[in-house]
Amino acid sequence: MYLYVARHAWAGHYGDPGDWGDDSLRPLTTEGIERYRQVLKRLRSADMSPTVIATSPYTRCLQTAELIAEVCGGDLVELEALALGAELDELVAWSNEQNVDHVCWVGHNPDVQHLTASLVGDGYGSIRFAKGSVAAVRFYGDIEPGQGELYWHATAKLLGV
């Protein structure tokens, strides 16, 4: 099983004036959308192919998840467990219930850093996630914290985007 952990793509800056009213409504920028499409095209050519994509209900994550579905495929599901302060146990249980080989989570920093570290280690570490980056964690069986193998971790900069 492969679990892709994605940080949302480039959004407007927190606190910038905008029409969104609160931070949960902050959208991706036009440039962020185009740049992330390029990231995803490269990852798709490297076989990133989620069957199901779980996302935080925040606008920037929903838009990121929609781009993943558009370029790489997958059905989209909003999960409150991926909102700020993500719930690892709930996400693991939900993902294992899906009975698929490729799952993607779309969330926020620092949550994605800690979730990924908990999946591949003892949970005390951290893996730096730039905006728009994606990590692939491989499991030999169900997802279980501490039992994953960091298969790859791609950033836009690394991909030349």
Side-chain angles (χ1 to χ4, degrees):
M1 141 124 14
Y2 287 89
L3 172 63
Y4 306 103
V5 182
R7 181 178 177 192
H8 65 77
W10 300 267
H13 295 291
Y14 180 77
D16 280 355
D19 297 331
W20 47 83
D22 71 51
D23 188 51
S24 69
L25 302 175
R26 186 163 41 109
L28 299 180
T29 63
T30 303
E31 298 82 17
I33 291 169
E34 188 50 42
R35 188 174 183 198
Y36 199 58
R37 263 198 193 100
Q38 296 306 311
V39 167
L40 292 171
K41 286 177 183 175
R42 298 212 180 198
L43 295 178
R44 176 65 183 150
S45 70
D47 293 328
M48 180 175 163
S49 55
T51 305
V52 64
I53 304 161
T55 181
S56 161
Y58 283 41
T59 299
R60 58 193 176 273
C61 290
L62 277 166
Q63 290 176 316
T64 300
E66 288 168 351
L67 289 168
I68 294 169
E70 172 191 316
V71 176
C72 300
D75 296 323
L76 194 63
V77 178
E78 282 184 50
L79 287 182
E80 194 63 40
L82 275 161
L84 293 173
E87 300 289 331
L88 178 63
D89 292 339
E90 198 173 321
L91 291 168
V92 167
W94 179 87
S95 297
N96 286 331
E97 289 169 5
Q98 301 310 299
N99 259 348
V100 296
D101 290 332
H102 297 263
V103 174
C104 181
W105 297 345
V106 181
H108 308 269
N109 236 13
D111 296 335
V112 291
Q113 294 181 160
H114 301 304
L115 291 169
T116 305
S118 294
L119 293 168
V120 300
D122 60 14
Y124 290 103
S126 183
I127 298 170
R128 184 180 177 279
F129 269 76
K131 290 177 186 170
S133 61
V134 181
V137 181
R138 181 165 57 180
F139 293 88
Y140 298 95
D142 283 347
I143 297 172
E144 213 177 306
Q147 300 302 305
E149 170 187 60
L150 183 61
Y151 194 63
W152 51 257
H153 182 205
T155 65
K157 187 175 184 175
L158 177 71
L159 296 172
V161 176

